[in-house]
């Protein structure tokens, strides 16, 4: 028999990838135990780090997409669709160390292409290609990273991003403040309110590194060490700086004093403004000026309560040039008993059990992230750059949070959209099961836009038809009784109330669709809206 | 300057690929003339056979997806999402000669994978993986074929398919009849009514080949010659049979008599039922019995007027086992002046112009196609097969028909969804442009779910703000006058009526959102619905 391991909670990477996890050795080989061979003696499964989506998971994900799409449209966004693969040279040199995670297509003659790694670089390419001077665009699509997957925590090789970006020459920090508003509205609109948006500014960060004595050519690598502070203690990051990245200890210590700072924008700004080291640093002063302006705007939008100016936030990607941010929740951090889980995982590998790799002892990471990237479009258009700022929601991570939280409530949601089940009831001599009659009645409902099904059997007893109606999640049954229907009458019965002894309402064939529409209007029949309301109300 | 060739009408392949077109030689090299080099000296474009979607095209395509999604849900469909790439061996041996068109991912260590070629094989893999016994599923997603692209006619390397399939053991021809209904409803629901659905049955076709004397091992290759009858005259197909495929001339002639037959199901059936050659052929007789049953069911659904039983329809893919069909319109056939266009194209290549290849002298082909495939799931599950039947809509081909037909009407549709533009009007001493006030007012509208924008400038004159409002397609302006707003009053003005001298309505800040909602309800503000109605009404 074919066994397929259905993975219930999965969600992928937000704005950028988590660092490749060190997976327990020899795991890959073990895994195959759980997948059986198909008829032609090959593995019957999806590729590593990918999964199928179906049933309720699809309904929940659609509700998330719907909520975010409405949000993006509300803020003036229009959508674009770019190819899933790009010319390889478009992606080259945009992702720093993570370039090794790019999926290449085989050279089958013709152009060299690779699967997109994010939606940001294709967006910049699109803006440059079409000589666009300003656009607000959203894009909900899959991206690809050959990372070590951690399925249960939402780190996948194929996953969705929901991006909203503003390109154009505008006044300082104005679109940035709106993007932060979109971020906060996006999460609260999905019922997630226990989040923090960490903020930082690349110009301030770079200024700090300069002021602490980091050489220009070392800035990016010191920055990428700081980026690990959400996963590692300062001691480990300091070691990386001093040993791996060759910085003097006093430089690291000075940096250490800065990156511990966090608080409201105004609190942290007041510390930075009076800091002697930064007073003469041009980059830091520029960043401080921008943050001062931002503080006013986020007040106007009323989102300041969610924000935390956190100098330890560095973000991995090279292309950011200004404000950077990422949203985290309690699920973002590694579990408190991470080291214990790690030990357990090691043991179970020895015993031959399957371990999905590092998944159980890391958090889901950020659930949304982004920043300002003013030079990326210029890399595609001979330096004629268009400033951009954007946000990327990590849908699958958000999905896993919502699903874990609402598991019970979501039980009652149907994964199909069928409202009416058309059945026939009869027997005795000459009884042919009314198949053609069921077809014609169902067709009449379809023509009125009513979601309806019937059993694909010439004859079926009434029990089987009720079972099928229940499986389809139908709210109403339309019953063609042998005698009644021959007299032009049909019965409408509300389903899901058990055997209540109620035989339903008898209506004429002409009055059927009107009666159905009336009854449906009284019931809650839209699975998607039901889920959207549910998610929002959590 | 960067030049990007925007391709306005494009649409891809329906159920299966057109045969690789012989493209004019040396075309690839010429093409590059029109693409300029980016900053890093590489081509700034999407890969060959792919394109970006944006603006109104996206709105139209979304309307098509919306219409088809509603249809699939109406018929009890639920959706799934499978990875864009599959293990290579899953795809192997499913597509006959067209397997060479499969895109492989580079072997970067680990599993060998390929981009999906259609949605049908991944669906069968999904059904087998999850041991599903019955499902009605729809799937709207991109598929990939390394075909010779013909962009202007909708033959792309990356394109969308919209599939609806029914898997499960049901009574003969019942789901098949419903799928034909879905096909007809799908097209008429998109305003396309001038189509024909060609029908045939693999069992009848195979029976005819057997009865005409084709050897068992030659049946598939003779069938693939017949498949070309929509593009080639009988003489050319006969030549292929006799010369390339080694059939005796009398065999070809006998086949020729059959494949000329077409008409209503009952008309063609009455000819087949009395045909002496087929009387003793088991396969043909089985097929005839099934078609007799189908004739009753399509009557019940009232779709018989669209159907044409056409014995020349063969369909290329190996996996069909029963009823097969494809929908064609006048745009499906090659243009009447194809050979003239061909000459012109050859000349222009000589002169250095760009020719997109064979695109101008082929038709778009079928706009929807499908059939029954009872053995495909069994190939993945040790022979435990689940019968399936399905339909695939070629969205991009349908898109190009709709776009060509509605070009003028679609002019008036806005590609953004912005309803309200918030602006400030003032000047003189101390005038700061009311940026924070505009932010706060816009934020209030967002919180009420109203789609609103404002200009991202600290100060802007009223003209620039009206221009931006027009560009965004806003229906209403909310104006914060310097004096009026300081007294708690705002002005609402209906846009798009020229300079009508009307200064709009003055409302209190508290009454703003209610007044806006009332005005919007009076206007037609939903771009998508507008397009859906437009398309349907064409």
């Amino acid at each position: 028999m074919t066994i397929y391991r259905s993975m219930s909670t999965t969600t992928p990477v937000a704005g950028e990838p988590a660092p490749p996890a060190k997976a327990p050795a020899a795991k890959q080989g073990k895994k195959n135990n759980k997948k059986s061979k198909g008829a032609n003696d090959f593995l019957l499964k999806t590729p590593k780090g990918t999964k199928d989506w179906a049933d309720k998971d699809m309904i929940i994900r659609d509700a998330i997409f719907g909520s975010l799409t409405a949000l993006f449209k509300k803020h003036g966004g229009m959508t674009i669709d770019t190819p899933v693969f790009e010319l390889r040279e478009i992606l080259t040199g945009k992702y720093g160390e993570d370039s090794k995670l790019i999926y290449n297509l085989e050279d089958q003659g013709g152009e060299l292409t690779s699967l997109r790694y994010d939606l940001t670089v294709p967006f910049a390419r699109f803006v440059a290609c079409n000589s666009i001077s300003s656009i607000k665009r959203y894009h909900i699509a899959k991206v690809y990273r050959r990372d070590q997957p951690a399925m249960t925590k939402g780190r996948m090789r194929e996953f969705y991003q929901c991006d909203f970006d503003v390109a154009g020459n505008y006044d300082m920090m104005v679109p940035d403040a709106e993007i932060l508003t979109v971020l906060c509205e996006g999460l609260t609109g999905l019922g997630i309110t226990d989040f923090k948006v960490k903020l930082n500014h690349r110009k301030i960060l770079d200024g700090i590194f300069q002021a602490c004595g980091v050489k220009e050519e070392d800035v990016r690598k010191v920055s990428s060490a700081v980026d690990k502070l959400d996963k590692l203690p300062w001691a480990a990051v300091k070691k990386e700086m001093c040993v791996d990245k060759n910085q003097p200890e006093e430089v690291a210590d000075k940096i250490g004093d800065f990156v511990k700072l966090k608080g409201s924008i105004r609190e942290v700004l007041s510390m930075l403004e009076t800091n002697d080291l930064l007073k003469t640093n041009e980059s830091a002063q520029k960043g401080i000026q921008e943050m001062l302006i931002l503080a006013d705007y986020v007040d106007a939008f009323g989102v300041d309560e969610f924000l935390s100016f956190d100098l330890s936030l560095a973000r991995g990607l090279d292309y950011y040039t200004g404000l950077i941010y990422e949203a985290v929740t309690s699920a973002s951090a590694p579990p408190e008993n991470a080291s214990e889980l790690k030990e357990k995982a090691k043991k179970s590998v020895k015993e031959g059990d399957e371990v999905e790799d590092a998944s159980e002892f890391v958090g889901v990471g950020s659930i949304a992230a982004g920043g300002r990237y003013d030079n990326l479009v210029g890399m595609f258009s001979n330096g004629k750059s268009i400033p951009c700022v954007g946000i990327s929601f990590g849908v699958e991570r958000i999905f896993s949070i919502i699903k874990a939280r609402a598991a019970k409530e979501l039980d009652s949601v149907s994964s199909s959209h069928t409202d009416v089940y058309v059945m026939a009831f009869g027997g005795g001599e000459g009884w042919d099961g009314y198949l053609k009659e069921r077809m014609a009645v169902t067709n009449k409902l379809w023509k009125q836009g009513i979601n309806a099904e019937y059993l694909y059997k010439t004859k079926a007893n009434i029990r089987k038809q009720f079972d099928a109606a229940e499986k389809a999640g139908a709210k109403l049954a339309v019953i063609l009784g042998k005698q009644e229907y021959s007299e032009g009458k049909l019965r409408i019965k509300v389903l899901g109330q058990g055997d209540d002894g109620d035989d339903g309402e008898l209506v004429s064939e002409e009055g059927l669709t009107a009666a159905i529409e009336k009854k449906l209007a009284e019931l809650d029949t839209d699975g998607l809206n039901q889920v959207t309301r549910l998610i929002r109300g959590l």
Side-chain angles (χ1 to χ4, degrees), chain A:
Chain A
M1 210 195 80
T2 303
I3 294 161
Y4 179 72
R5 213 162 49 89
S6 152
M7 283 149 288
S8 51
T9 46
T10 49
T11 42
V13 177
E16 62 186 39
K22 309 279 184 303
K27 175 188 50 67
Q28 191 102 350
K30 299 281 177 203
K31 225 168 184 175
N32 298 351
N33 297 338
K34 288 227 179 167
K35 315 273 159 51
S36 58
K37 297 265 176 173
N40 297 326
D41 219 36
F42 53 78
L43 284 175
L44 191 58
K45 65 176 201 73
T46 60
K48 188 180 179 188
T50 70
K51 58 165 286 199
D52 294 322
W53 286 79
D55 298 327
K56 278 176 203 187
D57 287 358
M58 274 303 269
I59 302 263
I60 300 168
R61 204 180 66 179
D62 273 354
I64 296 172
F65 287 164
S67 179
L68 291 175
T69 301
L71 172 70
F72 298 152
K73 286 179 178 175
K74 205 164 75 174
H75 286 266
M78 52 184 82
T79 191
I80 67 166
D81 178 22
T82 64
V84 81
F85 49 83
E86 295 276 347
L87 293 181
R88 193 165 301 163
E89 46 198 7
I90 298 281
L91 305 188
T92 304
K94 306 301 183 302
Y95 302 108
E97 288 176 18
D98 289 329
S99 293
K100 65 182 182 299
L101 303 182
I102 293 175
Y103 273 97
N104 294 329
L105 269 80
E106 202 174 283
D107 182 2
Q108 293 170 289
E111 303 160 336
L112 293 182
T113 56
S114 302
L115 296 185
R116 63 183 163 214
Y117 178 88
D118 63 10
L119 302 177
T120 311
V121 170
F123 171 60
R125 194 266 308 144
F126 170 83
V127 170
C129 266
N130 293 284
S131 304
I132 289 168
S133 60
S134 71
I135 187 172
K136 300 182 190 181
R137 88 87 177 77
Y138 67 91
H139 193 181
I140 298 183
K142 287 174 173 178
V143 301
Y144 298 87
R145 297 179 186 180
R146 293 185 63 258
D147 211 339
Q148 200 54 40
M151 314 277 277
T152 53
K153 287 293 177 179
R155 183 138 40 80
M156 304 284 288
R157 291 181 155 196
E158 174 189 62
F159 59 93
Y160 265 95
Q161 287 192 330
C162 291
D163 282 24
F164 182 69
D165 293 78
V166 176
N169 275 293
Y170 297 114
D171 282 352
M172 196 175 282
M173 285 290 157
V174 183
D176 312 60
E178 182 160 340
I179 293 281
L180 289 176
T181 307
V182 168
L183 168 47
C184 296
E185 261 190 277
L187 295 177
T188 53
L190 290 167
I192 299 173
T193 51
D194 59 336
F195 65 92
K196 264 277 162 253
V197 179
K198 295 190 205 171
L199 292 182
N200 201 355
H201 197 298
R202 272 283 168 92
K203 285 187 188 138
I204 295 177
L205 206 53
D206 288 357
I208 288 170
F209 296 145
Q210 290 161 3
C212 293
V214 177
K215 286 183 201 125
E216 198 55 44
E217 64 267 31
D218 292 342
V219 163
R220 280 277 74 75
K221 66 185 187 187
V222 169
S223 183
S224 88
V226 169
D227 192 41
K228 291 168 188 156
L229 272 174
D230 57 338
K231 287 169 207 88
L232 298 174
W234 167 249
V237 170
K238 181 180 167 182
K239 196 179 151 212
E240 179 174 330
M241 279 190 195
C242 299
V243 179
D244 306 346
K245 293 184 170 167
N246 223 11
Q247 302 299 311
E249 194 173 344
E250 63 273 24
V251 169
D253 285 338
K254 279 186 201 167
I255 294 172
D257 288 340
F258 277 106
V259 298
K260 277 169 204 153
L261 299 180
K262 60 181 158 187
S264 76
I265 300 181
R266 291 187 211 280
E267 276 165 15
V268 175
L269 277 176
S270 70
M271 293 185 271
L272 294 178
E273 284 178 299
T274 53
N275 187 290
D276 286 336
L277 269 178
L278 300 183
K279 275 215 168 105
T280 55
N281 184 281
E282 202 186 336
S283 177
Q285 288 304 320
K286 247 191 206 159
I288 289 169
Q289 287 315 309
E290 295 191 11
M291 292 302 283
L292 273 169
I293 296 172
L294 181 72
D296 268 2
Y297 297 163
V298 295
D299 281 353
F301 283 132
V303 293
D304 42 319
E305 56 169 320
F306 292 111
L307 309 179
S308 167
F309 192 174
D310 185 333
L311 289 178
S312 73
L313 179 73
R315 311 268 310 131
L317 295 179
D318 283 350
Y319 51 62
Y320 291 119
T321 55
L323 188 69
I324 49 177
Y325 31 82
E326 63 182 42
V328 291
T329 70
S330 52
S332 299
E336 300 232 337
N337 59 345
S339 55
E340 198 182 305
L341 287 170
K342 211 167 191 167
E343 278 312 304
K344 207 178 123 202
K346 271 186 197 158
K347 266 185 213 158
S348 64
V349 166
K350 271 182 219 147
E351 289 156 14
D353 278 10
E354 176 169 324
V355 176
E356 195 52 81
D357 70 55
S359 67
E360 273 142 300
F361 32 90
V362 300
V364 300
S366 66
I367 55 174
R372 174 163 284 282
Y373 50 101
D374 283 349
N375 302 333
L376 190 56
V377 174
M379 294 172 77
F380 297 117
S381 54
N382 293 317
K384 189 186 166 279
S385 208
I386 305 289
C388 296
V389 61
I391 179 73
S392 178
F393 289 90
V395 192
E396 274 116 330
R397 289 177 176 187
I398 291 170
F399 169 88
S400 69
I401 292 173
I402 289 174
K403 187 162 168 171
R405 195 178 294 185
K408 206 175 273 179
E409 292 86 342
L410 289 165
D411 257 3
S412 67
V413 172
S414 163
S415 48
S416 99
H417 307 265
T418 301
D419 291 327
V420 179
Y421 212 91
V422 177
M423 17 183 122
F425 183 40
E429 206 177 329
W431 172 241
D432 68 354
Y434 270 164
L435 173 60
K436 279 181 279 181
E437 289 77 2
R438 283 182 280 139
M439 285 175 164
V441 168
T442 310
N443 195 38
K444 203 178 279 180
L445 298 178
W446 290 334
K447 288 214 183 299
Q448 277 303 107
I450 295 165
N451 299 356
E453 292 187 84
Y454 65 97
L455 199 61
Y456 293 158
K457 298 274 181 188
T458 50
K459 284 188 206 177
N461 70 39
I462 195 81
R463 191 67 260 147
K464 280 201 176 133
Q465 295 180 80
F466 271 110
D467 287 349
E470 195 187 334
K471 202 183 150 203
K475 320 295 181 297
L476 298 176
V478 166
I479 304 165
L480 284 66
K482 186 181 175 187
Q483 181 64 28
E484 285 167 359
Y485 188 68
S486 72
E487 293 159 3
K489 300 274 184 202
L490 303 95
R491 215 168 262 285
I492 304 175
K493 188 172 156 43
V494 178
L495 296 171
Q497 308 184 313
D499 189 5
D500 55 1
D502 175 18
D503 287 336
E505 183 190 344
L506 205 60
V507 298
S508 71
E509 189 152 11
E510 302 76 51
L512 178 69
T513 54
I516 294 273
E517 280 172 340
K518 186 162 169 286
K519 277 208 193 297
L520 286 178
E522 291 162 18
L523 299 163
D524 178 12
T525 59
D526 189 333
L528 185 64
N529 285 342
Q530 201 183 334
V531 175
T532 306
R533 279 198 305 279
L534 188 75
I535 288 172
R536 198 157 295 179
L538 286 175

